[in-house]
Amino acid sequence: MATHDSTAASPPPDDYPRMLCMPVEMHDAIFNELKLSDAVAGNVYGQRLRQTNRYFFGLIELIDPPDHNTLLYLEKTPWAEDNDIFTCKYCLTLRHKSAFGDGMLQGNRARGGCDSKKRFCADCGFDVSASGSRYPRSTDTMVNGERWVWCRDCRKVKKGDEAGLDICQQCCRDCYGAYGCACEKKEKCCSAEKRATTGEMNREHKL
Ligand SMILES: [Zn+2]
Ligand SMILES: [Zn+2]
Ligand SMILES: [Zn+2]
Ligand SMILES: [Zn+2]
């Protein structure tokens, strides 16, 4: 985190806007708040303020993007708890809980959990072009109430409407429509009864 030397910037003249006439300690307090916001918004607020005039330019140093440990520390603050904010290990940002797949915020990966450092958001987890231990192909999970599936047949990630109803685990709506059930758990996930009811709904939905 950046520290700054208040002697580096000369105090603003008397006819400056009030915002600039505050004691440097108050500016300091504001910048510290902005560091929190920057951790969420990708380092923009403090840097924007820095661009507004020479005084702030001298006062605010370039803030390094927060590292993973800093984010994990921040997510345990009351501010993060109140706002349902969590850390992603890949995009290294703090994101709202709605950006994470079901299960990613529970158990050991919960806030302060021993595996919270392994947590990743749904966007990063389903990034099929990226490396690292992310969701494997055929992952079928709910993200903020919407079904996301990395289809085992077409190998694409489909979300919500394109994922279709959860008739058959691990495959998307189009592949289900084209091939029927192709999953290993045929007996378990696609009972005749379930196909008869939700299958019809899915086909109607496509038209
Ligand atoms: Zn992420
Ligand atoms: Zn598919
Ligand atoms: Zn099935
Ligand atoms: Zn299937």
Side-chain angles (χ1 to χ4, degrees):
M1 286 285 173
T3 55
H4 59 76
D5 176 6
S6 56
T7 59
S10 46
D14 290 342
D15 57 348
Y16 264 42
R18 255 188 218 169
M19 166 75 182
L20 289 172
C21 296
M22 289 189 286
V24 70
E25 290 78 13
M26 288 194 73
H27 286 146
D28 236 352
I30 292 169
F31 301 153
N32 281 331
E33 286 298 312
L34 286 172
K35 279 182 197 168
L36 269 181
S37 310
D38 276 356
V40 182
N43 200 15
V44 291
Y45 295 120
Q47 296 312 307
R48 270 191 206 147
L49 185 60
R50 186 173 188 261
Q51 304 294 339
T52 55
N53 61 55
R54 287 180 129 191
Y55 177 65
F56 283 144
F57 192 84
L59 213 52
I60 306 173
E61 292 190 0
L62 278 172
I63 302 167
D64 292 331
D67 62 19
H68 197 198
N69 283 334
T70 305
L71 294 173
L72 289 169
Y73 165 78
L74 288 173
E75 81 171 24
K76 288 191 278 184
T77 59
W79 165 81
E81 283 185 36
D82 291 348
N83 290 286
D84 292 318
I85 298 290
F86 295 86
T87 304
C88 169
K89 67 179 274 196
Y90 289 123
C91 55
L92 289 177
T93 52
L94 295 170
R95 304 197 65 184
H96 186 253
K97 65 178 179 184
S98 58
F100 295 86
D102 281 6
M104 195 51 80
L105 304 176
Q106 287 148 19
N108 292 343
R109 290 178 177 181
R111 192 188 306 281
C114 59
D115 281 341
S116 56
K117 60 183 177 297
K118 295 182 182 171
R119 188 194 311 118
F120 47 80
C121 72
D123 288 329
C124 291
F126 281 92
D127 185 350
V128 302
S129 63
S131 59
S133 59
R134 303 184 190 229
Y135 289 127
R137 187 156 64 87
S138 301
T139 294
D140 189 339
T141 191
M142 297 298 285
V143 180
N144 196 28
E146 187 179 74
R147 184 183 176 219
W148 288 30
V149 59
W150 185 353
C151 181
R152 53 173 292 129
D153 296 326
C154 64
R155 306 190 174 198
K156 290 175 185 161
V157 174
K158 303 281 184 86
K159 304 169 188 175
D161 227 27
E162 291 201 315
L165 299 166
D166 190 13
I167 303 165
C168 179
Q169 287 173 28
Q170 307 175 346
C171 57
C172 76
R173 189 184 68 185
D174 285 351
C175 293
Y176 181 83
Y179 313 121
C181 177
C183 71
E184 290 158 351
K185 293 185 278 186
K186 198 163 185 164
E187 299 303 319
K188 285 176 188 160
C189 88
C190 289
S191 67
E193 191 185 354
K194 200 172 176 185
R195 275 198 297 270
T197 52
T198 50
E200 287 308 315
M201 285 164 60
N202 212 25
R203 268 188 290 279
E204 280 171 24
H205 195 70
K206 276 182 79 173
L207 297 173

